[in-house]
């Protein structure tokens, strides 16, 4: 039996079928969990809340190489790692923005780069370079060019040319490693928490490391049951859902978040969510009744069938001409603009809501 699972890096064992790393046969290169994920898309052991962030960062600090920090553009806010430079002392960090294909093509790469640079400055995070990646699920000239760019960037670090992929769970690390190696060895899944330990592979005279995803427990992705994650994780390019409003309205993103908008004239609300997440819009005056009667049914998916477990967030006042994103971490965002008096958001306790300057 190989010592470690080829797909997720976990230590293989043949004693306990219920524990991680179980492989029924001595010839297995993969653990049973990887086998099921790879062949049936079946997640038997959910590792959404699995590995401690500090433990993974500790292992990364022990590796020699440049950190390629993957950030899923759709989940920019929940993918930012607070105090990153302090937590990876002495490491060069290159930011790799992943899943570019999910964002609308009307948003240019230049604008995206400027936007992210500003957000990093606000968070006091310093990176050596910003690469824009995406289109990785299929081979194409576009994705090949991005892989070349990653290779060139790694080379520019001379003696630190080993590449350590690091980032939040589900941000696309293993997909990038597989693409660089032109292989399908590493297990990839649409659920967070797939890779369980550091995996190393030799690649063109250097070592390539894949690492377990860091968990953000304030994101919908860490809280929603695995069978419902497919509703909220976008796989196709986002189609903005545009609403013009002339009276006070309430918006529901499934049963996971509610946004009440009080207007003093005319306003606009644009939703950027997975196409499979139902968005509802209705009169604000009727919203309490709707939520009390339909949470968990028409308003689904939901984390709870009662509104009692929702926290209230008040958006900062919108200045004239300003566009603001109301981000529900792990779920998506609403962009609001126009004559707005107030924006109030309800989200299940534990889910972080962030207000930021509009990205798109
Ligand atoms: N649209 C799109 N999806 C991508 C891209 N790269 C990866 N994905 C998808 O993102 C999901 C997660 O990919 P993984 O490579 O398993 O992510 P990871 O960072 O290794 O995840 P963990 O091991 O859980 O930390 C999968 O459903 C991938 O198909 C991309 O460029 N575009
Ligand atoms: Mg992985």
């Amino acid at each position: 039996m190989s010592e470690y699972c080829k797909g997720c890096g976990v230590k293989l064992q043949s004693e306990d079928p219920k524990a991680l790393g179980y492989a029924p046969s001595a010839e297995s290169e993969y653990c049973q969990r990887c086998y099921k994920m790879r062949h049936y898309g079946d997640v038997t052991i959910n590792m959404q809340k699995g590995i401690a962030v500090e433990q993974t960062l500790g292992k990364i600090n022990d590796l020699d190489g440049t950190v390629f920090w993957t950030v899923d553009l759709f989940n920019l806010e929940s993918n930012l790692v607070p105090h990153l430079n302090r937590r990876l002392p002495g490491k060069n960090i290159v930011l790799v923005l992943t899943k570019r294909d999910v964002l609308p093509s009307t948003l240019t790469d230049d604008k995206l780069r400027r936007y992210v640079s500003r957000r990093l400055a606000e968070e006091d995070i310093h990176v050596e370079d910003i690469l824009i990646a995406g289109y990785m699920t299929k081979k194409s000239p576009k994705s090949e060019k991005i892989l070349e760019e990653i290779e060139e960037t790694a080379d520019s670090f001379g003696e630190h040319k080993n590449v350590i992929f690091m980032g939040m769970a589900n941000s696309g690390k293993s997909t990038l490693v597989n693409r660089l190696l032109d292989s399908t060895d590493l297990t990839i899944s649409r659920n967070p928490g797939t890779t369980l330990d550091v995996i190393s592979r030799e690649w063109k005279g250097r070592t390539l490391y894949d690492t377990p995803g860091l968990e953000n427990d304030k994101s919908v992705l860490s809280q929603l049951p695995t069978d419902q994650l497919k509703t909220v994780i976008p796989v196709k390019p986002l189609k903005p859902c545009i609403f013009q409003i002339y009276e006070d309205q309430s918006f529901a993103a499934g049963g996971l978040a509610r946004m009440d908008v009080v207007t003093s004239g005319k306003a606009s609300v644009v939703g950027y969510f997975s196409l499979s997440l139902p968005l509802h819009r209705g009169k604000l005056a009727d919203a309490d009744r709707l939520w009390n009667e339909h949470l968990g049914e028409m308003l689904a998916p939901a984390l709870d069938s009662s509104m009692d477990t929702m926290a209230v967030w008040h958006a900062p006042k919108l200045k004239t001409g300003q566009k603001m994103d109301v981000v529900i971490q792990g779920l998506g965002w609403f962009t609001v603009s126009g004559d707005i008096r107030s924006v109030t958001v309800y989200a299940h306790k534990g889910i972080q809501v962030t207000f930021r300057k509009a990205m798109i």
Side-chain angles (χ1 to χ4, degrees):
M1 182 183 277
S2 346
E3 200 177 350
Y4 297 97
C5 171
K6 208 170 165 182
C8 70
V10 76
K11 198 166 175 20
L12 291 174
Q13 52 94 10
S14 55
E15 283 87 49
D16 184 357
K18 290 211 172 72
L20 286 176
Y22 179 71
S25 123
E27 288 87 61
S28 311
E29 292 184 296
Y30 289 94
C31 68
Q32 196 173 47
R33 174 177 173 268
C34 275
Y35 186 85
K36 288 190 175 174
M37 274 195 278
R38 298 168 70 87
H39 295 281
Y40 311 112
D42 174 16
V43 181
T44 41
I45 304 175
N46 178 0
M47 292 303 291
Q48 268 168 315
K49 290 183 195 293
I51 305 157
V53 170
E54 296 310 323
Q55 188 186 328
T56 302
L57 290 177
K59 286 183 181 178
I60 290 168
N61 274 319
D62 288 342
L63 302 172
D64 171 36
T66 299
V67 170
F68 280 64
W69 171 34
T70 52
V71 165
D72 170 358
L73 276 166
F74 179 67
N75 284 307
L76 175 65
E77 298 307 322
S78 59
N79 272 216
L80 293 175
V81 183
H83 315 298
L84 184 61
N85 302 94
R86 242 189 287 153
R87 294 164 92 181
L88 295 173
K91 285 271 188 293
N92 287 318
I93 302 172
V94 172
L95 174 61
V96 184
L97 299 167
T98 61
K99 309 191 192 179
R100 168 69 181 92
D101 50 300
V102 170
L103 294 189
S105 51
T106 45
L107 174 68
T108 65
D109 281 3
D110 276 350
K111 192 172 168 212
L112 197 51
R113 218 181 282 273
R114 279 200 302 276
Y115 185 86
V116 173
S117 301
R118 220 201 59 236
R119 273 305 279 118
L120 290 182
E122 284 166 3
E123 297 294 320
D124 204 16
I125 297 177
H126 173 76
V127 297
E128 305 300 320
D129 205 349
I130 301 180
L131 306 181
I132 300 184
Y135 316 92
M136 284 297 151
T137 53
K138 285 196 201 95
K139 280 196 179 178
S140 68
K142 229 177 195 163
S143 64
E144 295 296 337
K145 193 164 168 278
I146 293 163
L147 298 171
E148 276 167 29
E149 231 181 296
I150 292 176
E151 190 178 340
E152 278 163 24
T153 309
D155 281 340
S156 71
F157 288 95
E159 58 174 327
H160 300 295
K161 64 183 181 178
N162 290 342
V163 173
I164 310 165
F165 282 102
M166 184 277 299
M168 287 297 171
N170 205 50
S171 53
K173 299 175 290 298
S174 305
T175 304
L176 280 169
V177 174
N178 270 348
R179 286 296 310 273
L180 287 166
L181 295 168
D182 196 16
S183 108
T184 53
D185 279 4
L186 271 55
T187 305
I188 287 163
S189 88
R190 61 157 195 270
N191 299 303
T194 303
T195 306
L196 299 181
D197 212 333
V198 175
I199 300 177
S200 62
R201 291 280 188 278
E202 289 315 302
W203 175 60
K204 302 189 180 176
R206 63 171 81 73
T207 310
L208 207 54
Y209 296 99
D210 188 14
T211 64
L214 311 180
E215 187 219 345
N216 177 342
D217 60 5
K218 297 193 175 88
S219 157
V220 170
L221 299 189
S222 308
Q223 313 235 0
L224 203 61
T226 1
D227 58 338
Q228 293 178 28
L229 283 174
K230 59 178 177 299
T231 318
V232 306
I233 301 177
V235 283
K236 295 197 182 125
L238 298 177
K239 284 211 184 79
C241 206
I242 303 167
F243 305 93
Q244 298 298 340
I245 65 171
Y246 303 92
E247 55 173 12
D248 302 346
Q249 298 258 291
S250 179
F251 296 83
L256 291 164
R258 162 178 163 183
M259 181 177 77
D260 293 351
V261 181
V262 176
T263 170
S264 51
K266 187 178 152 201
S268 145
V269 172
V270 186
Y272 294 92
F273 296 92
S274 157
L275 301 178
S276 18
L277 183 78
L279 291 186
H280 294 273
R281 154 228 190 134
K283 284 194 164 107
L284 177 55
D286 195 34
D288 281 341
R289 184 198 61 77
L290 186 84
W291 277 78
N292 284 323
E293 288 178 11
H294 297 291
L295 180 57
E297 300 156 21
M298 186 177 84
L299 301 176
L303 281 170
D304 196 326
S305 53
S306 156
M307 277 199 73
D308 295 345
T309 60
M310 293 185 108
V312 187
W313 301 77
H314 298 282
K317 203 128 196 73
L318 205 64
K319 294 189 193 100
T320 316
Q322 202 187 5
K323 268 166 67 178
M324 174 175 66
D325 285 348
V326 176
V327 183
I328 298 112
Q329 292 203 3
L331 191 64
W333 67 92
F334 288 108
T335 304
V336 294
S337 59
D339 305 322
I340 284 176
R341 245 196 227 138
S342 74
V343 175
T344 311
V345 183
Y346 301 79
H348 281 291
K349 278 204 181 96
I351 306 284
Q352 178 83 32
V353 174
T354 309
F355 303 101
R356 68 178 185 195
K357 183 176 175 283
M359 179 196 261
I360 298 172

